[in-house]
Amino acid sequence: MTTTRRSLLAAALLTAFAAPQMSSAAVAAPRPATASPAEVPAPATRAPIGTKTLHLVDTSRPDPWKPAAGNRELMVSLWYPALPSAGPKAPYASKELAKKFLGSEAAATVRTHATLNAPAAPKARPLVVLSPGFGMSRLTLTALGEDLASRGYAVAAVDHTYEAPVEFPGGRMEDCLICGKAGLPVIPNRAEDISFVLDRLTAPGSPLRVDRDRIGVAGHSIGGASAVEAARTDRRVKAAVNMDGNFFSEPTTDLNRPVLLLGAQRAAGEAENRDDWERTWRHLTGWKRWLDVAQGGHLTFTDAPWLVERFGMPPNLPPGSESGAFGTLKADRATALTRTYVSAFFDRHLRGVPNPLLERPSAAYPEVAFLK
């Protein structure tokens, strides 16, 4: 895996979000937290949504990063259209995971909009699988997952074990085992994880009713590159979104599936990040768009902007990395444009509903530029 400025930033962000035990000398000055209640940004509609957590074991392969652990284990969050229910809303994170990932238990107080274990609405839904960035928990894609569910999608966000802190049933916590190790086949391994999740969610007895002909994958950072790889290796994946993830190497085969590249600072930023996407761009032979958010940062497409706005900057964010991480875009705009463009893409390619947002620049979202 080639070392780039973007991958170095990702490593720095992992240190900031997942290693609060480091010396306070490296802590950036926090932004002041707001006094408003801690809540995931409201989804696009008020339709009831539910959520479940799955612990999946792939008995067909050993864990690639820790073979001694046995079969590959994954934790998955589901969000889905639900029947009305008076049950409790799901917690954003446990106290243990919040402290492990963000350095304090504060995020455990965040309110979500999904009812825990609510009964699913009785209709097969298009499925979107979400893959987080390297070192980042699946919880950082909650706002996007809830929003897609409110629009009628079934959604599954995957934690890739030993690539971030992951909490398993019973409170067992597995740390990032491969963080800081270069040259590992992270992207193809994640594509295998995604295919295994599809196997389970499309099989008899699945906790969701999934339309097996309408499946998409989206991811952030290396999760975005993995989403495109999953579309390349698994014919069930009909469309893929890469949110600011470098591919690190040029593909050896073309991909004739719809792909959205949604990036930040790639028009005027580091040439190596533009070049990374250029190498893959010429191998995308289906419908494709390359959109850029010049005011955004690498974490614009995750929950990080509104978490920082609410709780302040995480400990240990290296000095000088804030601009690359967050840009200057406000949290509400970051969430809005991410949700709007990702859902427009899947509406078009999984539901056949066109949207002019994907054809030309929009006055409603002047932050988003069409590069290709």
Side-chain angles (χ1 to χ4, degrees):
M1 184 181 295
T2 304
T3 299
T4 66
R5 288 284 294 276
R6 189 59 58 102
S7 60
L8 290 174
L9 173 60
L13 294 172
L14 169 61
T15 299
F17 277 89
Q21 71 278 8
M22 291 182 62
S23 167
S24 60
V27 178
R31 294 177 182 172
T34 65
S36 59
E39 184 176 81
V40 176
T45 79
R46 299 185 67 179
I49 57 176
T51 186
K52 301 176 186 286
T53 301
L54 301 182
H55 175 206
L56 303 180
V57 180
D58 185 352
T59 58
S60 71
R61 58 182 175 132
D63 191 280
W65 312 135
K66 191 177 180 180
N71 293 320
R72 180 69 166 165
E73 293 182 82
L74 300 173
M75 293 300 296
V76 179
S77 291
L78 304 180
W79 295 281
Y80 50 89
L83 298 175
S85 172
K89 300 300 184 185
Y92 183 77
S94 70
K95 290 182 179 180
E96 294 75 16
L97 185 58
K99 188 172 182 178
K100 187 76 173 180
F101 187 67
L102 295 170
S104 79
E105 297 178 355
T109 67
V110 172
R111 305 171 187 168
T112 71
H113 301 276
T115 301
L116 189 62
N117 297 320
K123 178 182 177 182
R125 305 285 179 166
L127 172 66
V128 176
V129 178
L130 302 178
S131 178
F134 188 75
M136 305 290 282
S137 170
R138 73 187 191 276
L139 69 85
T140 60
L141 298 174
T142 298
L144 179 57
E146 287 197 339
D147 183 74
L148 287 168
S150 82
R151 299 174 190 260
Y153 290 90
V155 185
V158 185
D159 261 339
H160 302 278
T161 311
Y162 303 118
E163 299 176 32
V166 180
E167 185 177 18
F168 285 89
R172 172 168 62 100
M173 192 76 68
E174 299 292 351
D175 290 327
C176 187
L177 186 64
I178 64 170
C179 292
K181 298 181 180 181
L184 297 177
V186 173
I187 292 172
N189 181 70
R190 284 190 176 213
E192 288 192 64
D193 286 347
I194 291 167
S195 289
F196 167 64
V197 171
L198 293 184
D199 291 344
R200 295 296 295 269
L201 294 183
T202 59
S206 168
L208 295 178
R209 290 195 63 196
V210 171
D211 185 335
R212 289 181 285 183
D213 294 323
R214 296 189 292 170
I215 295 175
V217 183
H220 167 246
S221 194
I222 206 166
S226 302
V228 176
E229 181 65 13
R232 190 186 313 279
T233 59
D234 193 322
R235 297 296 297 175
R236 294 173 295 185
V237 179
K238 306 303 183 186
V241 179
N242 179 349
M243 298 181 288
D244 208 46
N246 281 357
F247 294 97
F248 299 109
S249 62
E250 185 168 353
T252 57
T253 59
D254 292 344
L255 174 62
N256 187 24
R257 298 290 175 91
V259 173
L260 172 64
L261 302 181
L262 181 59
Q265 302 181 29
R266 288 184 183 255
E270 296 290 337
E272 59 192 341
N273 292 322
R274 294 196 303 276
D275 293 345
D276 180 278
W277 276 15
E278 288 281 8
R279 288 192 298 270
T280 294
W281 181 261
R282 54 180 171 258
H283 292 281
L284 302 177
T285 58
W287 185 103
K288 57 185 178 180
R289 295 290 184 273
W290 179 346
L291 308 184
D292 188 67
V293 184
Q295 296 172 267
H298 188 54
L299 295 181
T300 285
F301 312 105
T302 74
D303 290 359
W306 60 263
L307 285 170
V308 165
E309 188 174 90
R310 177 61 182 81
F311 298 111
M313 200 65 69
N316 307 308
L317 190 71
S321 63
E322 183 176 348
S323 175
F326 299 98
T328 59
L329 198 65
K330 298 295 185 182
D332 59 345
R333 290 299 289 174
T335 300
L337 70 85
T338 300
R339 288 169 157 180
T340 299
Y341 280 88
V342 171
S343 63
F345 173 80
F346 286 125
D347 281 351
R348 172 169 182 153
H349 296 291
L350 299 184
R351 286 173 160 164
V353 179
N355 192 316
L357 277 176
L358 300 174
E359 303 304 326
R360 63 190 72 90
S362 169
Y365 293 95
E367 305 94 339
V368 181
F370 277 61
L371 297 191
K372 291 179 179 292

